Amino acid sequence: MPIPGPLRALSFCALETEMQAVATEPARQAPAQPASFVQEVLRGVAQVDFMPNAITGIFFLAALAAAGWQYALYGLLGAVVGTATAYAFGIDREIVSAGLRGFNGTLVSLGFAVFLGAEHLSTLLLAIGGSITVVVVTSALATILGTWNIPTFTAPFCIIASVMTIAAPSFSRVWHTGPDLAALPKSANETTTLDWEQLWHGFFANVGQIFFMPQWYVGLIFLAGIFVASRLAGVMACVGSITAIFIAWAMGSPAEGVSEGLMGYSSVLVAMALCGVFIVRSNWSFGFAVLGAAAATGLTSAMTAFFAPFGGHTFTWPFVLTTLVFVAAVPQIPRLRRT
C-alpha cells in the first residue's frame, strides 16, 4: 500500500490508525505480496526515524553495512520478523504497511547484536525471539496509550532491550563479554573541551547512535536517508544534534562522550518528533522541539546514572520519556497542534 508524499508520511497519519485499530473489528487482511512485503520491511527499518519510506530504509541498511555487514543483517532480520509476526497475528494492514510493527524489531535485533555479540548463535535466537515479543509489547502499549492518543514511540524496544541486557550476565550461554557492566555512577572528570574534529564527529554520531553506531560516516549516511524522505525531518535532525552538543558542552559533559554521540541521539529523535511528526510544524513547535531536545540531553545523563548500578543501557529511554511528556502537554498549549 503506497504512502503518498514525504510530508504526509511525516505527519504519521498511520499512527492515528494504530490508535483506532486496537478498539475496532479485525482489519482488512489481504495476503501480502512479495514486493509489498519487501517495501513494508524497508519502511519498518526507516520508521526508527519516523520515515515510512522504503528508499530511506535502503539508506539505513547501507549505513549499518558501512559499520559492519552483520549489523545490516540483524537490523533487516528484526524488521522482517516483526513485520511477519504482525501479519501472523492479523494486525491491521495499514499499520503493518506503514512499517509500524517493524521498527522496534529492528532496534531489538540490532541492539542484541551490538551488546551481546553478533557472532553468537544465542544472540541470533534471542534477536528472533525478541523481535516477535516486541510486537506483543507494542500492541499492549498501543492499547494503553491509545486511550490518550499517545504513540508507543520506541518504548517497546526499550523494555525488551533493558530487561535482556540487565539479565544477560546471569545466563552463561547468553553473556560472552566477560564480567557484567554494573557500576556505581561517578562524577565526570574527563576533559570537557571540544575541538573542531570532536564537534563535527559528534554532530553526525548523534544521528548514528540512534542505531548504536558511533562512526561519523555512518551517521552521515543515516542523515542523508532522512533528507531523502523529508527535508523538514532532516533539518530538525540537525537542529536536535546541534542543540545536544551545545547543552552537553554548556553543562560540562566529557568531550569523548559528546564526540561519540552518546549525549545527543535522543535529542535528534525528540527534535524530529516535536516539529513535523507528532506536532504540526510552526515557529512555536520549532521552539518547543529545541526545548525538548535540550531536556532530553540532560535526561540522558540522568538515565545513564540510573541504569549504571544494574549494568543496563540508556537506549532511547530519554527520547521516549521526553517526547511522551511534551506530546501529552500539547492539548493544554493553544499555540501547538497535534498532527
Side-chain angles (χ1 to χ4, degrees), residues 244-331:
I245 291 173
F246 174 77
I247 296 298
W249 168 80
M251 294 194 301
S253 295
E256 183 178 358
V258 176
S259 176
E260 292 178 351
L262 296 176
M263 294 297 297
Y265 62 93
S266 281
S267 299
V268 171
L269 288 172
V270 168
M272 294 169 65
L274 298 182
C275 185
V277 176
F278 300 110
I279 301 177
V280 174
R281 173 189 177 184
S282 68
N283 291 336
W284 283 95
S285 66
F286 178 86
F288 200 60
V290 172
L291 177 63
T297 306
L299 185 57
T300 296
S301 290
M303 297 301 295
T304 300
F306 175 80
F307 281 113
F310 312 104
H313 297 274
T314 311
F315 297 122
T316 53
W317 278 117
F319 153 66
V320 170
L321 297 177
T322 301
T323 309
L324 189 151
V325 170
F326 275 63
V327 169
V330 170

Side-chain angles (χ1 to χ4, degrees), residues 10 51 203 207 222-243 267-273 275-276 281 286 289-290 293:
L10 185 59
M51 304 288 107
F203 174 81
V207 183
F222 279 126
L223 186 59
I226 296 171
F227 270 104
V228 164
S230 168
R231 283 179 293 178
L232 171 60
V235 168
M236 292 312 301
C238 294
V239 169
S241 184
I242 292 170
T243 301
S267 299
V268 171
L269 288 172
V270 168
M272 294 169 65
C275 185
R281 173 189 177 184
F286 178 86
V290 172

Side-chain angles (χ1 to χ4, degrees), residues 19 56 153 175 183 187 190 226 230 232 240 249 256-257 260-261 332:
M19 300 307 173
T56 297
F153 307 118
W175 188 251
S187 301
E190 297 92 345
I226 296 171
S230 168
L232 171 60
W249 168 80
E256 183 178 358
E260 292 178 351
Q332 297 295 320

Side-chain angles (χ1 to χ4, degrees), residues 78 81-82 85-86 89 105 108 126-137 160:
V81 173
T85 300
F89 285 166
V108 166
L126 285 170
I128 294 172
S131 298
I132 295 172
T133 306
V134 80
V135 176
V136 179
V137 175
I160 296 290

